[in-house]
């Protein structure tokens, strides 16, 4: 859901390679400035929400409504903090996003929440950069992070760090990385490699594959021989449930790479869609997910309020408002500056704790889960604060 496009930002961001499709960048970004507007916390704080309501892309109208609904649900939870939410339509278009971002600031907005797509978020950030207004985008593309732009979407780096740290704590010391050869797979491989490098484990092999059924089939024997020759105790896969994972979960055990002997670890969610839980090869695999209890509580509240389920990324708008509300509630005029937004303690969101980092990226407190008897079982709960291990 987090499309990544080539951003136009040249000066405010790093010059690493840009990603396409629906994947994350694994490059360095520059630090966010500490600036931002001065606000009067005794009055309603104007917040602009930029959504792709008029986009021609299927599903964007539903996404836009879910984002607005989630934002309003968060506002209702803020108690005495007053937020004046103003919604603007980007139509999913970068030029329109830039125009409405400027309009929003001219209308008095002190911070911008959204847009969704990376190119639009980048354009919006550039449009208001000289206005000292920060942008909390719903993108997960770390290429656009920096300057006045933050990304709220979950990142490969965050997930890889959580899983690599957990694996090392469980005695896993040698990892083979299996990744697709496209941009997303390469970025996933880089995130895993960096994360393992921060742990006590090490990467002992990597195997790439072409994103096709034949490409997956052709890679199986290479994976088997790499695991065997390296003595790896873990296999870290970038594949998704909509991509190569179902095929690998069948073919690898058949080829002798048994999940019972080699720990399978997934960079993506293995519990969506729920049919994936039925696959024999994913039983015992590890993956990360937001705090399940808090995520379910949000879904239930949303269902009760709006009569349907939230969009999978709709909760990011709740998170943005929750962060803004927590800062404004402190009563300080500099509540929406970059320095305030990146407070180390972080915030409580729909899936647990999260915090914005000085480079414009984010960290989220994730749980580690496995699949046992076709059911998701949490084996390491999500941290409740950033003061514990791993942060």
């Amino acid at each position: 859901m987090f499309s990544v496009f080539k951003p136009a930002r040249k000066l405010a961001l790093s010059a690493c390679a840009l990603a396409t499709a629906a994947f994350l960048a694994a490059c360095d970004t520059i630090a966010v400035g500490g600036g931002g507007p001065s606000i009067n916390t005794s009055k309603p704080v104007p917040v602009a929400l930029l959504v792709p309501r008029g986009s021609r892309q299927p599903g964007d109208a539903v996404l836009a409504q879910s984002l607005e609904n989630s934002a309003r649900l968060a506002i209702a939870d803020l108690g005495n903090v007053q937020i004046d939410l103003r919604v603007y339509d980007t139509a999913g278009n970068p030029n329109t996003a830039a125009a409405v971002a400027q309009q929003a600031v001219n209308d008095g907005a002190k911070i911008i929440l959204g847009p969704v797509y990376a190119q639009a978020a980048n354009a919006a950030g550039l449009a208001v950069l000289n206005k000292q207004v920060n942008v909390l985008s719903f993108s997960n593309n770390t290429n656009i992070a920096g300057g006045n732009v933050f990304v709220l979407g979950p990142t490969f780096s965050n997930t890889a760090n959580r899983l690599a740290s957990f694996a090392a704590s469980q005695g896993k010391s040698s990892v083979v990385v299996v990744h697709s050869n496209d941009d997303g797979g390469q970025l996933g491989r880089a995130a895993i490699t960096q994360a393992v490098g921060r742990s006590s484990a090490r990467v002992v092999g990597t195997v790439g594959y072409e994103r096709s059924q034949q490409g997956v089939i052709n890679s199986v024997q290479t994976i088997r021989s790499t695991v065997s020759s390296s003595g790896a105790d873990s296999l870290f896969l970038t594949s998704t449930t909509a991509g190569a994972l179902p095929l690998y979960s069948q073919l690898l055990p058949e080829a002798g790479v048994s999940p019972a002997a080699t720990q399978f670890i997934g960079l993506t969610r293995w519990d969506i869609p729920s049919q994936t839980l039925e696959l024999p090869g994913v039983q015992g695999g590890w993956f990360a997910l937001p705090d399940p209890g808090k995520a379910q509580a949000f879904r239930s509240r949303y269902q009760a309020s709006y009569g349907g389920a939230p969009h999978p990324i709709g909760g990011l708008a709740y998170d943005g408002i929750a962060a803004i509300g927590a800062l404004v509630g402190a009563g300080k005029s500099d509540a929406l500056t970059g320095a305030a937004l990146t407070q180390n303690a972080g915030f409580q969101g729909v899936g647990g704790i999260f915090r914005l980092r000085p480079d414009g990226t984010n960290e989220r407190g994730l749980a580690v889960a496995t699949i046992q008897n076709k059911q998701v079982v949490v084996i390491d709960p999500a941290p409740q604060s950033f003061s514990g291990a791993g942060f």
Side-chain angles (χ1 to χ4, degrees):
M1 299 299 173
F2 304 108
S3 294
V4 174
F5 300 93
K6 291 185 177 180
R9 184 181 302 260
K10 295 183 183 295
L11 298 178
L13 300 175
S14 67
C16 66
L18 303 178
T20 57
F23 298 98
L24 312 170
C27 57
D28 293 330
T29 48
I30 68 162
V32 173
S38 178
I39 63 172
N40 183 350
T41 58
S42 67
K43 295 182 178 180
V45 176
V47 175
L49 175 64
L50 274 56
V51 296
R53 177 165 287 117
S55 166
R56 294 181 179 179
Q57 185 163 310
D60 271 3
V62 173
L63 168 57
Q65 190 60 57
S66 186
L67 289 166
E68 181 178 348
N69 290 347
S70 298
R72 297 197 183 282
L73 199 61
I75 291 171
D77 289 343
L78 293 181
N80 294 329
V81 176
Q82 300 179 75
I83 300 293
D84 177 9
L85 188 70
R86 303 169 182 183
V87 184
Y88 299 82
D89 183 10
T90 68
N93 180 278
N95 293 332
T96 305
V100 298
Q102 289 178 320
Q103 179 188 342
V105 173
N106 291 338
D107 291 344
K110 299 300 183 182
I111 193 166
I112 292 174
L113 193 53
V116 173
Y117 299 110
Q119 193 177 37
N122 180 73
L126 284 171
V128 301
L129 182 60
N130 64 349
K131 302 291 187 180
Q132 291 290 295
V133 171
N134 289 304
V135 176
L136 308 185
S137 77
F138 302 131
S139 174
N140 64 353
N141 180 3
T142 57
N143 259 341
I144 67 166
N148 62 332
V149 176
F150 296 85
V151 294
L152 287 173
T155 68
F156 277 174
S157 178
N158 195 169
T159 302
N161 286 337
R162 178 69 168 104
L163 288 167
S165 175
F166 175 75
S169 75
Q170 301 302 300
K172 304 303 178 184
S173 61
S174 51
V175 180
V176 168
V177 181
V178 177
H179 64 91
S180 56
N181 286 329
D182 59 357
D183 288 333
Q186 296 286 355
L187 294 168
R189 177 196 58 77
I192 294 168
T193 300
Q194 291 167 8
V196 173
R198 297 186 188 102
S199 74
S200 59
R202 61 194 179 97
V203 173
V204 295
T206 60
V207 179
Y209 64 91
E210 298 303 318
R211 289 193 68 193
S212 66
Q213 181 172 332
Q214 193 59 48
V216 172
I217 293 171
N218 291 344
S219 70
V220 169
Q221 288 305 317
T222 303
I223 296 170
R224 184 194 64 78
S225 62
T226 303
V227 170
S228 177
S229 63
S230 66
D233 54 28
S234 307
L235 196 64
F236 212 141
L237 302 102
T238 66
S239 51
T240 67
T241 58
L245 180 63
L247 197 53
Y248 273 136
S249 73
Q250 173 190 340
L251 297 180
L252 287 173
E254 290 177 354
V257 184
S258 167
T262 305
Q263 181 62 55
F264 285 17
I265 307 172
L267 187 60
T268 61
R269 295 272 300 262
W270 286 13
D271 59 327
I272 301 173
S274 59
Q275 297 94 306
T276 307
L277 303 177
E278 303 287 327
L279 300 174
V282 303
Q283 307 303 309
W286 295 344
F287 60 97
L289 74 171
D291 187 312
K294 291 177 180 176
Q296 181 55 49
F298 168 70
R299 288 192 294 269
S300 296
R301 289 194 58 232
Y302 188 100
Q303 175 83 34
S305 298
Y306 300 109
H311 189 280
I313 70 166
L316 294 178
Y318 188 105
D319 287 356
I321 292 293
I324 293 167
L327 294 170
V328 171
K332 296 182 179 180
S333 62
D334 64 351
L336 300 182
T337 62
L341 288 164
T342 55
Q343 64 167 5
N344 236 17
F347 312 97
Q348 283 287 347
V350 300
I353 57 170
F354 71 98
R355 63 182 172 185
L356 301 171
R357 308 308 294 151
D359 64 358
T361 63
N362 71 77
E363 279 185 310
R364 292 179 174 274
L366 301 173
V368 177
T370 189
I371 301 172
Q372 295 177 359
N373 299 319
K374 305 178 182 179
Q375 299 290 323
V376 175
V377 178
V378 172
I379 52 177
D380 196 35
Q384 300 302 302
S385 76
F386 286 105
S387 59
F391 296 105

